Amino acid sequence: MRLRHIEVFHAIMQVGTISGAAQVLHISQPAVTKVLQHCELQLGMPLFERVRGKLYPKPEAHRLFAETEKLHRDLQGIRRLAASLKGRAVETIRLVATPTIAISVLPQAMTVWRKAFAHTRCELATHHTSEIVHALRLGEADLALSLQDPRHPGIVAEVIAEGVMTVIAPAGSWSEEACGRPVSADGLSGELIGHADNDPLGQLLVAACEAQGVHPVFHTVVQTYQIARSLVEAGAGMAVVDPFTAASAHDGKVQRRAWAPAIPVQLFLLTASHAPLSHGARELVASIGAAARQCLAHGAPS
């Protein structure tokens, strides 16, 4: 299939009519019909059933759509790059972060960085660490942020900020004096919000509790730290979370105390070992590091 065939085919698959595809592609309906006919002729089979002006994909069309989807995305990316080159905004930075960091650190970092790089294109996405490694290895991301070091031979992990696990509880749970002291496993009380069994920080927490002779019972278990924070803000219970999530909690709804003994939490910059960062990307990393440290300072238990 030619590139033009793929464009027309994808447009028809998305909108279901010749007229709709023509509007999406900004070409005439006869042009869409001609390209589709030529495509089917080359393939030696019809791709659609024609019923009262609508096109219904055959099974072969669905299989073809799945195989050409990545090529279509790449074509769109090439067009965006061409537009950027024309507008002199050559650089594109593709940043992937775990949801925790995307919510707590990136907004401030991006706001500061954007002042110096107003015309640089930056694509932001969120993934879990295993997916981040995959994206970096395939060249689908330039840099990434995670609270885990994946320890992958093709990935370089650099610590850019560090804090400690923090206990958060609904406002009024502790006295002002108590908030200045760390809390250990025997200080956990009331309804406890836990993390999924496969969560690395959650595993560290349970191990730390058991080392102190405490076996916590979690009636509510969550997949993300943000959900745990939201539940605590709503008064649903107490949770032990990473310091970035703790810092992003609403000050009027949540109290914070450091966990004892301290469990370090590091923010890692992840990059592919074969792909050095551009100047704009390095400056973005510096902005992220500064924003992360500012976030930790704000959320430090008093």
Side-chain angles (χ1 to χ4, degrees), residues 262-285:
I263 299 178
V265 178
Q266 297 173 316
L267 173 57
F268 292 96
L269 166 69
L270 306 179
T271 55
S273 56
H274 62 276
L277 294 179
S278 65
H279 170 66
R282 290 196 302 271
E283 290 298 313
L284 179 55
V285 170

Side-chain angles (χ1 to χ4, degrees), residues 123-134:
E123 298 177 358
L124 303 177
T126 59
H127 285 305
H128 294 295
T129 304
S130 59
E131 297 167 316
I132 284 175
V133 170
H134 188 66

